Amino acid sequence: MFTLSLTLVRHGETQYNKEKLLQGQGVDTPLSETGVQQAEAVGKYLGDIAFNYVFSSNLQRAIHTAEIIRRNNTHCSGTEMVLDPLLRERGFGVAEGHPKEHLKNMANAAGQSCRDYTPPGGETLDQVKLRFKKFLKALFQQLSDEHGRAGAPEAANGMAAAASERAPGGSAEDGLQEASVHALVVSHGAYIRVAIKHLLEDLKSSLPAGAKMSQVFSPCPNTGISRFVFTLSPSESGPVLSAARCCFTNRKEHLGNLTAAEKCGGKEMG
């Protein structure tokens, strides 16, 4: 049995985010100047966390964000970054490259909510969820093979001890003292929302005390941070999830020193 922390971070702002244009998978834009500043801010916020694994979507806005986070980290600057297409943003088909208002109009014409609507050529929410489930299953198997019978890594133990000395609540290390292995995932707004929904509703992750559902499922801001902790038990058929806990979602305290415009970025999609 071992415990894993999974830290999810949305990429920094792009020019398309700023202009409220859909990117999806077909529009692969770099970070804007504000996006780089946001990535630097989240990198410094997470700078003392000893991530054992770093995963990123293979779209450049996520890759650049992950590179900046890794560069600012005192423990994992040399950790290999794995680019995984399973972490790519939801595909929005013919709506990609168009204003988000265009997607809303298409959804209204179809009599559906914008979040549930699938434009022609796009991915359904279930297809996005299936990609995340495949990623999570592979992650659990890899970490179970590598850590399931081993003790906690020294760096993680040291970090947990340091975290236990800090005041609870609002810390970058919240939840990490429970885990022996730490994974960072950099992905996208719509994808992360689907992932959080799956972790809470399907895997029955427990919520933090006093958590409001409006906050838990609110749109993830650029470089917003969410964290879950999983306890896995070995079995002949592979690791079994024994417990899952949500530590927090969509945290953005690290953006406190940026201007209001820099904080907002693009909402969720992209």
Side-chain angles (χ1 to χ4, degrees), residues 3-7 46 48-51 156-157 159-161 163-164 171-183 227-229 245 247-248:
T3 305
L4 155 74
S5 74
L6 180 66
T7 301
L46 300 173
D48 291 331
I49 298 176
F51 292 112
N157 282 334
M159 180 179 57
S164 67
S171 167
E173 291 88 359
D174 284 347
L176 297 184
Q177 53 267 44
E178 306 168 31
S180 59
V181 182
H182 308 285
R227 179 171 296 142
F228 290 78
V229 174
R245 184 171 81 84
C247 302
F248 55 83

Side-chain angles (χ1 to χ4, degrees), residues 9 39-56 62-83 184-186:
V9 177
E40 292 283 354
V42 74
K44 292 173 182 176
Y45 183 78
L46 300 173
D48 291 331
I49 298 176
F51 292 112
N52 306 93
Y53 301 89
V54 178
F55 300 91
S56 173
I63 296 172
H64 193 187
T65 302
E67 288 174 339
I68 293 173
I69 293 173
R70 191 174 57 161
R71 187 180 69 232
N72 278 280
N73 193 279
T74 57
H75 299 283
C76 70
S77 59
T79 302
E80 177 187 6
M81 181 169 65
V82 178
L83 305 184
L184 169 69
V185 168
V186 180

Side-chain angles (χ1 to χ4, degrees), residues 90-109:
R90 179 186 180 191
F92 288 100
V94 298
E96 292 181 358
H98 294 280
K100 293 179 182 178
E101 197 64 32
H102 178 65
L103 180 65
K104 292 179 182 178
N105 293 337
M106 294 173 68
N108 288 337

Side-chain angles (χ1 to χ4, degrees), residues 86 125-135 194:
L86 290 174
L125 294 176
D126 283 342
Q127 288 173 323
V128 178
K129 181 168 75 170
L130 180 59
R131 283 200 282 122
F132 177 65
K133 289 172 65 176
K134 287 180 178 179
F135 169 79
V194 170

